[in-house]
Amino acid sequence: MQATITSVLQVIPTPQSPLSHQTSSNTLKGLESCSSMSKLKQFHAQIVKHGLSYDNDAMGRVIKFCAIAESGDLNYALQVFDKLPEPDPFIYNTVIRGLLKSQMLRDSLLFYLCMLERSVWPNSFTFPPLIRVCCIDNAVEEGKQIHGHVVKFGFGFDRFSQNNLIHMYVNFRCLEEAKRVFDNMCERDDVSWTTLISGYARLGYLDEACQVFDTITEKSSVIWNAMISAYVQSNRFHEAFALFERMGSEGVVVDKFLAASMLSACTRLGALKQGEWIVEHVKNSGIELDSKLGATIIDMYCKCGCLDKAVEFFKGLPRKGISSWNCMIGGLAMHGKGEAAIEVLKEMESERVAPDYITFVNLLSACAHSGLVEEGKHYFRYMKEAYGIEPGMEHYGCLVDLLGRAGLLVEARRVINEMPMSPDVGVLGALLGACRIHKNIELGEKIGKQVIELEPQNSGRYVLLANLYAYAGRWEDVASIRKLMNDRGVKKVPGFSIVELEGVVNEFIAGGRTHPQAKEIYAKVNEMLDRIKSAGYFPDSDGMQHDIDEEETENPLNYHSEKLAIAFGLLKSKPGEILRITKNLRVCKDCHLASKFISKVYDREIIVRDWNRFHHFKGGECSCKDYW
């Protein structure tokens, strides 16, 4: 039964005659090393025996362990509290923190009211946990009242309370109130600045975040990291790189947090050279390589197409946290290396590291991308049988994807029907994608309409259904999808591809001509297409004439963004150098086919990362074996 604020009756040892001060002092010191409730109860009995059962200092220590410690017992803390005739603010604060820790949010506020009713005045430590309670519970009105009490009791200029208030108002999406608290601060620290900067950025006001950043005269690495992270999380990677360079020019030392933020930017852009520079800096500067940073480096190598380096780095880690194992399995999944992912799981188990929920999401994804149907079905059962992990939405999504890609649409549909929860858009979207691959119009139409209603602003959902109609020659239905998108104001995500050469990131959009070398690039595309046509390539425009494809059909098929990126790569790189392309959408059938021919005709390895997986083109073949 959950603990409550109301009195819980239990026999507490009766106080005896007080013993010596030295004996009681030793008992109180013993509480500092207490590690279990059984030990705590022994100390409690001694404290009572020493005549200290009503002493706030002694009983406050007992309550602190019970309420705050991982092995504590909040019920017991409340029972002890009930016996105290005049608990002081420290004890009230401790119980409030314990209730917060146990997610008993409303009880925390009620306990504060009890404190006031008993004329116990709060101190500076009372309000930060109460503000966090309101923040977590999204209790807007109560949060504003607590703010009033902060001012009323004379803590309006307490920095800890002010920082928590800024965070609370950001969480409430009340940026004006957050800024007002910030402006009234007499002394600001890194927490104050970063909370406001991150708050602006999280709510989409990145320019305002930048303005706040620019007003800071002395910026710590924490503040630089907050602004760079804001750019990365807002997908404004070029600004993140520019700020990183500015930071270096100002002599700011890169720490592990900044390194992780910049590696994330490199990962999203596919900027391998810059990512490798940061990894070298980490190695040479003595930055602590903790589990999180190690996992970020593995992720960067995997998503920049350097799977061999990811594996090498992973094997060289002296200590592998669960996140490192998961990143390695996830990276192998993206590259279609299902068998290798299974081997990593077995190695993980042999080292007695227990896989978790994410481990099996990544493993099932690896099976789906590699066509390992039986293995995927086995591990879907295995995670519960061996580790008691109940399949969640993501696991079901991977299983549906696995079955759907293999053409087992009836079985995939049965899995959805038998799910213990209602399928989300991800699960249904996996089945819709499979219907497109296998051209199952009837089922695809039914699922497609459901998916569009679940996610009406996602243009990709409309694209998939329209493509199904196009394959079936149902052009009126294609037109109706276009109209529905227009009526709802849904804009298609423009396709773009990125290639990094000599540490510089170059971005191309379909049919775009803004690049300074556009004339040479288009000439190279035409030359490239002529050569591969001579080798047997014939454009695959199936369904494109009336299709709502990921890249606008107004742009000719020849000038899709990845073709422009590959042409630029051929122009600017040395013979035999690997080309690495990052694309924000799914690679279309024609570009996939053309890339195979280009890899053979130009004797180049081309690695393309689309939104779903990697394609390694070499010698006219793709690593996906056309299973994508």
Side-chain angles (χ1 to χ4, degrees):
M1 180 181 295
Q2 274 195 326
T4 62
I5 294 174
T6 55
S7 177
V8 184
L9 297 177
Q10 176 175 313
V11 176
I12 301 289
T14 305
Q16 306 293 322
S17 300
L19 299 183
S20 72
H21 173 76
Q22 182 63 43
T23 305
S24 61
S25 178
N26 290 338
T27 301
L28 294 180
K29 285 182 180 178
L31 272 172
E32 301 300 323
S33 60
C34 187
S35 59
S36 68
M37 280 303 299
S38 59
K39 286 281 187 185
L40 181 284
K41 289 177 181 178
Q42 292 176 26
F43 283 119
H44 186 195
Q46 292 177 39
I47 288 169
V48 172
K49 186 178 180 181
H50 296 164
L52 299 174
S53 58
Y54 298 145
D55 181 81
N56 280 340
D57 179 39
M59 302 314 291
R61 300 184 193 209
V62 172
I63 290 171
K64 181 180 178 181
F65 178 87
C66 296
I68 306 299
E70 288 301 321
S71 54
D73 182 342
L74 183 59
N75 272 311
Y76 197 88
L78 291 170
Q79 293 160 12
V80 173
F81 175 87
D82 250 6
K83 297 295 181 181
L84 290 174
E86 295 182 352
D88 60 19
F90 169 81
I91 293 175
Y92 275 99
N93 294 345
T94 301
V95 176
I96 289 170
R97 287 171 58 202
L99 292 165
L100 169 61
K101 179 175 176 288
S102 298
Q103 293 295 297
M104 298 172 66
L105 305 178
R106 291 288 162 172
D107 285 340
S108 301
L109 296 175
L110 291 172
F111 208 85
Y112 171 65
L113 293 178
C114 291
M115 179 181 182
L116 297 180
E117 286 172 359
R118 295 184 184 182
S119 299
V120 179
W121 299 138
N123 59 25
S124 62
F125 298 100
T126 305
F127 294 106
L130 289 172
I131 296 166
R132 286 196 290 274
V133 164
C134 297
C135 187
I136 295 168
D137 201 35
N138 200 34
V140 178
E141 290 307 315
E142 290 86 346
K144 290 178 178 179
Q145 291 175 32
I146 292 294
H147 185 182
H149 281 221
V150 170
V151 175
K152 176 181 177 180
F153 286 103
F155 301 106
F157 295 106
D158 176 71
R159 192 168 72 250
F160 297 104
S161 291
Q162 287 176 312
N163 284 339
N164 277 279
L165 284 168
I166 294 169
H167 178 70
M168 179 188 77
Y169 282 123
V170 166
N171 190 68
F172 293 163
R173 308 179 72 87
C174 299
L175 289 177
E176 287 187 11
E177 286 84 349
K179 186 64 163 57
R180 192 174 296 118
V181 173
F182 178 85
D183 289 340
N184 287 332
M185 294 182 76
C186 297
E187 183 182 354
R188 303 181 183 104
D189 58 14
D190 284 353
V191 175
S192 318
W193 291 106
T194 57
T195 302
L196 191 63
I197 289 169
S198 301
Y200 272 128
R202 182 159 59 87
L203 297 178
Y205 297 96
L206 198 57
D207 293 336
E208 286 79 358
C210 190
Q211 288 172 11
V212 172
F213 175 81
D214 287 336
T215 64
I216 308 171
T217 52
E218 294 185 14
K219 304 176 182 71
S220 69
S221 61
V222 174
I223 293 172
W224 283 96
N225 184 46
M227 194 64 237
I228 288 173
S229 296
Y231 279 129
V232 172
Q233 289 159 16
S234 301
N235 296 329
R236 287 170 60 170
F237 306 113
H238 296 293
E239 287 98 326
F241 279 114
L243 194 60
F244 184 67
E245 290 176 6
R246 176 182 154 193
M247 185 194 79
S249 69
E250 294 187 19
V252 181
V253 177
V254 177
D255 60 18
K256 65 180 180 180
F257 304 106
L258 271 167
S261 293
M262 286 311 302
L263 285 167
S264 296
C266 295
T267 299
R268 299 287 292 276
L269 278 177
L272 175 63
K273 294 298 181 185
Q274 298 193 44
E276 288 182 322
W277 182 89
I278 294 169
V279 173
E280 282 304 308
H281 180 79
V282 168
K283 292 178 180 177
N284 297 331
S285 62
I287 293 174
E288 179 193 1
L289 187 62
D290 59 15
S291 178
K292 181 179 179 182
L293 184 55
T296 305
I297 292 172
I298 294 167
D299 192 48
M300 185 275 294
Y301 277 131
C302 287
K303 290 180 179 174
C304 287
C306 284
L307 190 58
D308 291 343
K309 286 191 176 182
V311 172
E312 179 186 350
F313 182 84
F314 172 76
K315 288 182 176 179
L317 281 175
R319 294 182 303 278
K320 300 180 181 75
I322 184 68
S323 57
S324 299
W325 290 98
N326 288 345
C327 273
M328 193 68 257
I329 293 173
L332 290 165
M334 286 189 71
H335 288 266
K337 304 289 185 182
E339 294 90 347
I342 291 172
E343 288 305 311
V344 171
L345 174 73
K346 291 177 179 177
E347 182 186 348
M348 184 180 185
E349 292 178 315
S350 71
E351 295 193 18
R352 300 188 182 281
V353 179
D356 64 7
Y357 185 99
I358 295 172
T359 310
F360 285 103
V361 171
N362 291 348
L363 188 70
L364 291 170
S365 176
C367 292
H369 285 305
S370 305
L372 303 177
V373 176
E374 293 307 316
E375 292 87 342
K377 290 161 74 172
H378 163 73
Y379 282 108
F380 187 84
R381 297 188 299 268
Y382 177 76
M383 65 179 181
K384 182 176 181 180
E385 294 168 357
Y387 295 101
I389 299 173
E390 290 287 342
M393 195 71 76
E394 295 90 345
H395 300 114
Y396 278 103
C398 289
L399 183 60
V400 170
D401 190 33
L402 169 76
L403 297 169
R405 287 175 187 271
L408 302 172
L409 299 181
V410 174
E411 190 173 348
R413 182 64 169 162
R414 184 166 62 248
V415 167
I416 291 176
N417 291 338
E418 294 175 358
M419 284 174 62
M421 71 283 282
S422 297
D424 68 1
V425 71
V427 175
L428 294 173
L431 182 56
L432 177 58
C435 290
R436 176 185 178 177
I437 293 170
H438 299 287
K439 298 181 174 59
N440 188 319
I441 310 302
E442 182 181 353
L443 179 59
E445 181 177 29
K446 181 178 180 181
I447 298 297
K449 289 179 178 179
Q450 285 182 255
V451 167
I452 284 173
E453 294 312 312
L454 284 172
E455 212 170 38
Q457 292 303 310
N458 186 332
S459 63
R461 306 304 184 186
Y462 296 86
V463 167
L464 276 176
L465 182 55
N467 286 346
L468 272 174
Y469 288 143
Y471 285 128
R474 292 168 56 177
W475 309 120
E476 288 185 5
D477 289 319
V478 172
S480 72
I481 293 292
R482 281 188 179 277
K483 184 177 185 304
L484 182 60
M485 290 179 71
N486 290 333
D487 291 345
R488 292 180 173 181
V490 179
K491 302 294 183 184
K492 287 172 285 184
V493 177
F496 66 82
S497 293
I498 292 169
V499 59
E500 182 200 31
L501 291 169
E502 298 176 350
V504 178
V505 174
N506 297 270
E507 184 176 313
F508 299 91
I509 62 170
R513 294 181 179 271
T514 57
H515 195 280
Q517 293 177 273
K519 186 176 179 180
E520 296 94 322
I521 293 167
Y522 275 80
K524 189 66 177 179
V525 170
N526 293 332
E527 174 217 296
M528 189 172 73
L529 293 172
D530 286 341
R531 287 188 62 179
I532 64 176
K533 284 175 182 175
S534 298
Y537 161 77
F538 187 80
D540 185 347
S541 58
D542 181 25
M544 289 292 294
Q545 291 85 353
H546 299 272
D547 193 356
I548 305 180
D549 207 338
E550 283 88 341
E551 299 202 55
E552 294 280 6
T553 56
E554 289 81 5
N555 296 311
L557 191 63
N558 291 348
Y559 304 126
H560 275 187
S561 60
E562 54 265 61
K563 289 192 179 79
L564 297 176
I566 291 172
F568 180 74
L570 292 173
L571 271 174
K572 305 298 289 184
S573 62
K574 298 173 183 177
E577 192 173 331
I578 297 173
L579 299 183
R580 303 176 192 277
I581 313 294
T582 300
K583 182 174 171 63
N584 68 322
L585 300 174
R586 183 178 183 270
V587 175
C588 76
K589 288 175 66 178
D590 179 71
C591 287
H592 190 268
L593 178 63
S595 297
K596 288 197 286 186
F597 275 94
I598 294 167
S599 71
K600 182 176 182 180
V601 169
Y602 285 87
D603 192 23
R604 289 294 191 102
E605 184 175 353
I606 303 170
I607 300 175
V608 177
R609 175 182 129 201
D610 69 10
W611 67 272
N612 196 36
R613 62 164 298 155
F614 273 89
H615 299 270
H616 292 247
F617 300 99
K618 187 175 182 179
E621 301 293 333
C622 180
S623 60
C624 74
K625 301 179 177 63
D626 295 333
Y627 191 83
W628 56 291

